[in-house]
Amino acid sequence: MGVWCRVKNLLFGVAIGRTVIDTFGSVARVDGISMQPTFNPNTTVDFVFLSYIPVRFDSIKRGDIIVAISPRNPNETIIKRVIGVEGDVVVSKKKNNTSKIRNFIPRGYYWIEGDHKGHSYDSTSFGPISKGLVVAKVSVIIWPPSRWQLLQSQVNK
């Protein structure tokens, strides 16, 4: 096989791989404690599959875990659970405060929170998040092998 044929095959493979990744999803490492115990229990680092299809078809629902661009820093992403969808009223506590606040979720927004209450930068700090900031839905823990599992949509209260 000639050099040109190998280069052509490599370029073709890269193009197909990139198309698959851009269309269906990718793998990401979950850092931090804000989603414990769902992710990173006992200091284990989890790797997850990010699915882009639910975002493209606007099928994110209450209880799903999503990855979004951080409202604080557009160069960072955050991983949180969707607690409320447009039209919902979510009752939450402000950080370091015992008073409860009713939050109406407007059209085109989600209310997201970390599973590790009190240890998460989430909607209790910045309010509802625009659907436009959502990048992917987290559907599977793929590493380590002892933690392989499909993630179910649930709201932890």
Side-chain angles (χ1 to χ4, degrees):
M1 186 182 281
V3 172
W4 174 242
C5 191
R6 287 185 184 158
V7 169
K8 210 167 50 169
N9 287 342
L10 177 66
L11 291 175
F12 186 67
V14 168
I16 288 176
R18 186 65 198 191
T19 300
V20 168
I21 288 171
D22 287 347
T23 303
F24 298 106
S26 62
V27 174
R29 175 185 169 138
V30 179
D31 291 317
I33 63 168
S34 72
M35 286 299 290
Q36 283 180 338
T38 305
F39 300 118
N40 303 336
N42 306 321
T43 67
T44 302
V45 174
D46 289 331
F47 286 82
V48 296
F49 180 74
L50 307 179
S51 177
Y52 303 140
I53 302 294
V55 175
R56 287 202 177 103
F57 289 101
D58 197 24
S59 63
I60 301 293
K61 59 189 180 303
R62 193 178 304 101
D64 287 348
I65 299 172
I66 55 99
V67 172
I69 297 168
S70 172
R72 177 174 45 187
N73 181 352
N75 296 320
E76 293 179 0
T77 56
I78 56 176
I79 182 169
K80 306 293 176 208
R81 188 177 301 276
V82 176
I83 303 299
V85 297
E86 56 189 36
D88 286 352
V89 174
V90 176
V91 177
S92 67
K93 289 183 187 177
K94 279 286 192 189
K95 300 252 189 243
N96 303 321
N97 193 339
T98 57
S99 62
K100 293 186 178 183
I101 298 171
R102 293 172 47 92
N103 303 283
F104 175 75
I105 313 305
R107 185 175 180 177
Y109 286 79
Y110 296 120
W111 186 270
I112 60 174
E113 294 182 11
D115 287 353
H116 195 176
K117 303 297 182 207
H119 298 279
S120 177
Y121 176 69
D122 55 28
S123 288
T124 59
S125 300
F126 51 72
I129 188 169
S130 170
K131 287 182 176 183
L133 294 177
V134 177
V135 175
K137 175 183 173 182
V138 182
S139 55
V140 181
I141 297 175
I142 59 171
W143 191 263
S146 63
R147 297 205 10 90
W148 285 350
Q149 62 183 295
L150 290 174
L151 297 168
Q152 303 300 317
S153 293
Q154 61 186 30
V155 177
N156 298 331
K157 284 291 176 178

